Amino acid sequence: MKKEFAVIGLGRFGGSICRELSREGMEVLAIDLDEDKVNEYKDIAGHAVIADSTDENVLRELGLRNIDHVIVAIGDNIQASILTALMLKELGIKTITVKAQNDYHEKVLNKIGADHVVHPERDMGKRIAHNIISNNILDYIELSDDHSVVEVKAGSKMSGRTLVDLDIRAQYGCNVVAIKRKKDVIVSPMATEEIRESDVLIVIGADKDISRFEKNLVVED
């Protein structure tokens, strides 16, 4: 089953996550108080609604307790961000990621039990979107508008198979440039190299090709 996400706050950061998750085929509910922003995302996200996330009844009516992962990307209103995170926690949301404005904000969010706290000036929305799709996607670095490097942990779909078996270059158009194995780094691995569980693969390619690679070999069912 597809994971379901909600993004609360559709500014530059929240909008970036919303676009990327939608592009990756995830179910996304986009929420903001600003009607213009909601209209902008109604054709991008599965659903886009105008709502006040600090109202617990509204969160219940939206069915947020059934969502797997909620990203709170509220702009400058630190109080609204904290209140929203607190209510999501009380609703029993499985995973909550919150954008922090500063270190003080981060401390409060950690105290109330936010699962992940991110600083958008340090962490790109695109990168975070890939990280939250799967625990096996460890890092995502843009090289250009349409090419990236991704660092992924080998799971059950890859372990015990060689690079020849996986045929990543022919199947997905991506190149495995290195494998991190505990303290060792295997640069330009041989095609006969067998992948072990928890190996970390560093893969380079076009964004659309990396997306197919992630869906088929990285994201666990």
Side-chain angles (χ1 to χ4, degrees), residues 16-160:
S16 168
I17 287 189
C18 185
R19 283 178 192 276
E20 195 64 24
L21 290 173
S22 299
R23 196 179 289 134
E24 292 296 322
M26 301 295 146
E27 289 290 330
V28 184
L29 168 63
I31 302 166
D32 201 287
L33 264 176
D34 186 318
E35 186 177 354
D36 291 339
K37 285 179 181 170
V38 170
N39 287 336
E40 185 184 341
Y41 284 89
K42 68 176 191 288
D43 295 327
I44 296 167
H47 304 281
V49 296
I50 303 162
D52 179 1
S53 63
T54 63
D55 186 329
E56 190 172 356
N57 291 328
V58 168
L59 296 181
R60 288 183 188 279
E61 284 167 17
L62 288 172
L64 282 190
R65 61 196 320 174
N66 302 317
I67 300 273
D68 298 301
H69 194 145
V70 179
I71 298 95
V72 181
I74 292 169
D76 297 330
N77 192 334
I78 288 179
Q79 186 174 324
S81 165
I82 292 167
L83 277 172
T84 299
L86 196 55
M87 281 188 280
L88 291 170
K89 201 72 192 166
E90 286 176 358
L91 280 175
I93 304 296
K94 291 178 199 167
T95 310
I96 303 165
T97 294
V98 191
K99 165 189 168 181
Q101 294 293 341
N102 50 45
D103 292 343
Y104 162 75
H105 188 192
E106 179 177 9
K107 279 181 188 171
V108 176
L109 292 169
N110 285 328
K111 279 188 185 302
I112 63 175
D115 299 287
H116 307 285
V117 179
V118 296
H119 291 262
E121 64 276 13
R122 298 205 299 252
D123 307 305
M124 301 176 308
K126 189 170 188 178
R127 180 181 184 178
I128 291 163
H130 281 260
N131 289 355
I132 64 183
I133 287 168
S134 169
N135 292 335
N136 286 344
I137 300 171
L138 305 177
D139 206 353
Y140 191 96
I141 302 160
E142 282 184 281
L143 298 176
S144 67
D145 286 347
D146 51 10
H147 282 76
S148 301
V149 174
V150 66
E151 199 170 277
V152 301
K153 187 168 75 176
S156 58
K157 291 180 180 178
M158 287 194 274
S159 66

